[in-house]
Amino acid sequence: MEIDKAIRESDDKRLKTKYNNAIFVITRALSLYSIEEVAFSFNGGKDSTVLLHLLRAGYFLHKKEMGCSNGGLPNFPVRTIYFESPSAFTEINAFTYDAAQTYGIQLDIIRQDFKSGLEALLTANPIRAIFLGVRIGDPTAVGQEQFSPSSPGWPPFMRVNPILDWSYRDVWAFLLTCKVKYCSLYDQGYTSIGSIHDTVPNALLSVNDTSSKEKFKPAYMLSDGRSERAGRVKKNASIKNDVGSDSQKHEVLLASVIAVGDEILSGTVDDQLGLSLCKKLTSVGWSVQQTSVLRNDIDSVSEEVDRQRSICDMVFIYGGVGPLHSDVTLAGVAKAFGVRLAPDEEFEEYLRHLISEHCTGDRNEMAQLPEGITELLHHEKLSVPLIKCRNVIVLAATNTEELEKEWECLTELTKLGGSTSLMELYASRRLMTSLTDVEVAEPLSKLGLEFPDIYLGCYRKSRQGPIIICLKGKDNARIDSAVHALRKKFKEGVFVDMK
């Protein structure tokens, strides 16, 4: 067939790998289920258009392998479900019906909601498996594999996801290589199509033009697949500003530190990273509001990140970053911001150079990053960039040596931002005294009222040891004034400066 031939003749090795994997999933499903027991959910979008042609090629190759006719397909044999919605673009409907006529598709048109329509269809037909054009970054893809049973509360069937591991780039590489038709909206700057109520052209494809009508480049020209859904209208657009914004609320910037790992909670691993990170943050003038240790659970991570990002200027999170089932940190961060995990081709390239012998183009969990909010912080000393999601920094360090390198790079990178510097240095002084708690308590309270912009902290290293008083702020002169005011309240020499 023309699809298989086009891919075989392509020089794109990555596309060939993706294609072969998808065809394997399709032929496997066709071996497990009869043609009467499978269906295909088509919505006219780019992903389902890819899957349409993969199914055409897969069915052809399956029949050929079974020793049947190796000719073309006069009609598309897989039952095809189309949920027609009054809020769908007219272009989507037009493309769907045109594709049905071109490829001999017999559409089962459903005008109910998805679940009710599916229940009615499966009750009337012996369908056991449904091919879906779901990709790993889609909101509905969470927890799915290439073969995944339907969710509890839904009619029982097997979800078959042949393009689960495909990226935005892979989708367009396939469509353009095979030279197949797709919905005309994609040539008008739309990169991800929902309903007429929540979809606009992607502003990143806007073309500077002197005419009054705004123009857009086609979807396949979007260079960064992470911005695929930038044209989806967000109902809740109020997002906390990043560090350094004009709405900065705190004189001293506030940070929180989150560790993720069952091994820490069980006492199997001693968490040295948290201690080291708190010291580093304090050394550059940040006030650490809270440290917390969470189990390997997406909801736990999501809830804590959401809570801390709203009250702190920056959240630092480590642990649970990787391809294992217990590595849930990035998924938790994405959920906290209400976005999906999406394939990041730039990050995947870094991983490919780092673990090339283990990175074959198959699904790579480590290359899925929170969509639309991720900034990669590049540094020549790091094999992969640091991950920044709004005001959340995801650290990949597993020991203090790795943390030292990441911290050094982070401080260098963020100081390049001028007024938006992440690690703006603050003035600080430490004083030691042998006075009792009772003697210093009231004067320190009054000092706090006199200097509300200065952070005052006290602690002892031992119950019988001296009191250590910490003063931190943005202005050295103000710190000196506060120290002078404190000393005036007592006899000379009772406070000693510490280095």
Side-chain angles (χ1 to χ4, degrees):
M1 284 181 61
E2 77 280 4
I3 300 298
D4 189 68
K5 184 174 184 291
I7 299 298
R8 300 298 174 197
E9 293 178 352
S10 170
D11 294 328
D12 190 335
K13 293 181 180 179
R14 176 190 172 94
L15 179 58
K16 286 183 177 180
T17 299
K18 299 288 185 179
Y19 172 79
N20 288 333
N21 291 344
I23 292 297
F24 174 80
V25 173
I26 291 169
T27 55
R28 176 63 176 158
L30 294 175
S31 297
L32 293 171
Y33 308 100
S34 69
I35 198 67
E36 292 79 21
E37 293 176 321
V38 298
F40 164 44
S41 180
F42 185 71
N43 64 11
K46 61 185 185 303
D47 297 341
S48 63
T49 301
V50 167
L51 184 52
L52 165 64
H53 295 290
L54 286 172
L55 285 170
R56 293 177 61 234
Y59 183 76
F60 165 77
L61 293 171
H62 172 68
K63 297 296 287 184
K64 184 177 180 180
E65 184 179 317
M66 299 296 292
C68 302
S69 171
N70 61 358
L73 298 177
N75 292 296
F76 185 65
V78 181
R79 179 185 293 273
T80 303
I81 311 165
Y82 181 58
F83 291 84
E84 189 175 86
S85 168
S87 61
F89 283 88
T90 56
E91 291 89 345
I92 284 286
N93 284 330
F95 170 73
T96 298
Y97 293 121
D98 181 61
Q101 184 175 4
T102 302
Y103 301 109
I105 302 172
Q106 298 298 314
L107 294 176
D108 282 317
I109 301 173
I110 298 175
R111 295 181 174 87
Q112 300 169 267
D113 66 273
F114 191 88
K115 187 176 181 181
S116 299
L118 199 57
E119 288 175 340
L121 180 69
L122 268 62
T123 299
N125 297 279
I127 296 172
R128 298 176 57 199
I130 299 178
F131 291 101
L132 301 169
V134 171
R135 290 192 285 122
I136 194 62
D138 295 339
T140 58
V142 177
Q144 288 204 50
E145 298 294 337
Q146 290 168 326
F147 287 85
S148 291
S150 55
S151 301
W154 284 70
F157 66 93
M158 182 63 72
R159 293 176 289 189
V160 185
N161 304 308
I163 62 170
L164 191 64
D165 63 335
W166 286 43
S167 69
Y168 184 83
R169 172 206 176 277
D170 299 327
V171 166
W172 282 109
F174 179 88
L175 293 173
L176 297 176
T177 297
C178 296
K179 299 179 181 178
V180 294
K181 289 184 178 180
Y182 50 82
C183 179
S184 61
L185 288 174
Y186 293 111
D187 285 333
Q188 299 171 33
Y190 291 82
T191 52
S192 177
I193 301 173
S195 76
I196 57 175
H197 304 300
D198 66 3
T199 311
V200 295
N202 194 321
L204 296 173
L205 293 174
S206 180
V207 177
N208 292 327
D209 195 284
T210 56
S211 63
S212 58
K213 185 177 180 181
E214 190 172 10
K215 296 182 179 179
F216 297 86
K217 292 179 285 188
Y220 57 79
M221 294 189 70
L222 183 69
S223 59
D224 189 349
R226 289 174 293 181
S227 304
E228 175 185 354
R229 293 174 69 89
R232 291 297 186 97
V233 179
K234 295 179 176 60
K235 295 180 180 178
N236 299 316
S238 58
I239 299 175
K240 184 182 185 297
N241 290 321
D242 284 350
V243 172
S245 68
D246 294 335
S247 62
Q248 192 68 50
K249 295 179 181 179
H250 311 287
E251 287 298 318
V252 176
L253 295 178
L254 306 180
S256 66
V257 175
I258 301 174
V260 180
D262 293 346
E263 66 278 5
I264 300 175
L265 289 170
S266 66
T268 305
V269 172
D270 186 14
D271 180 25
Q272 294 294 325
L273 290 180
L275 176 63
S276 179
L277 189 54
C278 286
K279 288 181 178 179
K280 292 181 183 302
L281 283 164
T282 302
S283 72
V284 293
W286 283 64
S287 174
V288 180
Q289 291 293 98
Q290 179 177 326
T291 64
S292 53
V293 182
L294 309 176
R295 61 193 181 94
N296 299 326
D297 175 72
I298 292 176
D299 289 335
S300 297
V301 174
S302 171
E303 290 169 7
E304 186 66 11
V305 169
D306 190 41
R307 183 183 308 112
Q308 295 303 328
R309 76 182 180 91
S310 65
I311 61 176
C312 292
D313 299 294
M314 190 62 68
V315 178
F316 295 84
I317 186 168
Y318 59 91
V321 180
L324 302 176
H325 73 282
S326 57
D327 295 325
V328 300
T329 295
L330 288 171
V333 171
K335 188 171 182 178
F337 283 97
V339 301
R340 63 178 188 167
L341 282 178
D344 189 293
E345 294 167 9
E346 181 184 5
F347 197 65
E348 187 171 3
E349 284 304 312
Y350 278 95
L351 294 178
R352 193 175 300 281
H353 288 297
L354 183 65
I355 51 172
S356 56
E357 68 276 13
H358 302 296
C359 191
T360 62
D362 296 341
R363 176 179 175 183
N364 191 336
E365 294 285 359
M366 294 178 69
Q368 314 297 326
L369 301 180
E371 183 189 46
I373 62 169
T374 298
E375 177 186 355
L376 296 180
L377 304 178
H378 307 272
H379 197 288
E380 59 184 8
K381 293 181 182 179
L382 298 175
S383 54
V384 294
L386 291 167
I387 300 169
K388 180 175 181 287
C389 301
R390 302 283 189 206
N391 63 333
V392 177
I393 299 287
V394 181
L395 298 169
T398 59
N399 56 52
T400 53
E401 290 182 6
E402 293 174 0
L403 177 63
E404 189 69 37
K405 180 186 290 187
E406 290 189 3
W407 179 263
E408 179 186 347
C409 297
L410 182 61
T411 53
E412 285 183 25
L413 289 168
T414 52
K415 282 179 183 178
L416 299 176
S419 63
T420 60
S421 171
L422 171 64
M423 298 299 169
E424 182 180 351
L425 289 173
Y426 284 74
S428 65
R429 285 180 69 176
R430 289 193 301 163
L431 305 175
M432 183 172 65
T433 181
S434 58
L435 294 173
T436 65
D437 296 10
V438 174
E439 289 175 298
V440 299
E442 185 177 349
L444 282 176
S445 296
K446 290 181 178 178
L447 186 69
L449 295 175
E450 294 172 33
F451 296 87
D453 56 322
I454 302 298
Y455 166 80
L456 294 174
C458 302
Y459 67 94
R460 295 177 185 272
K461 291 186 176 180
S462 66
R463 174 49 55 190
Q464 302 304 321
I467 297 175
I468 299 172
I469 302 170
C470 301
L471 300 92
K472 292 190 294 184
K474 287 187 175 182
D475 190 334
N476 263 311
R478 288 287 290 170
I479 292 287
D480 292 342
S481 297
V483 170
H484 179 70
L486 178 62
R487 281 179 164 153
K488 282 181 63 177
K489 299 177 187 294
F490 296 90
K491 293 180 181 180
E492 185 177 351
V494 298
F495 293 102
V496 179
D497 271 289
M498 297 179 64
K499 293 184 179 179

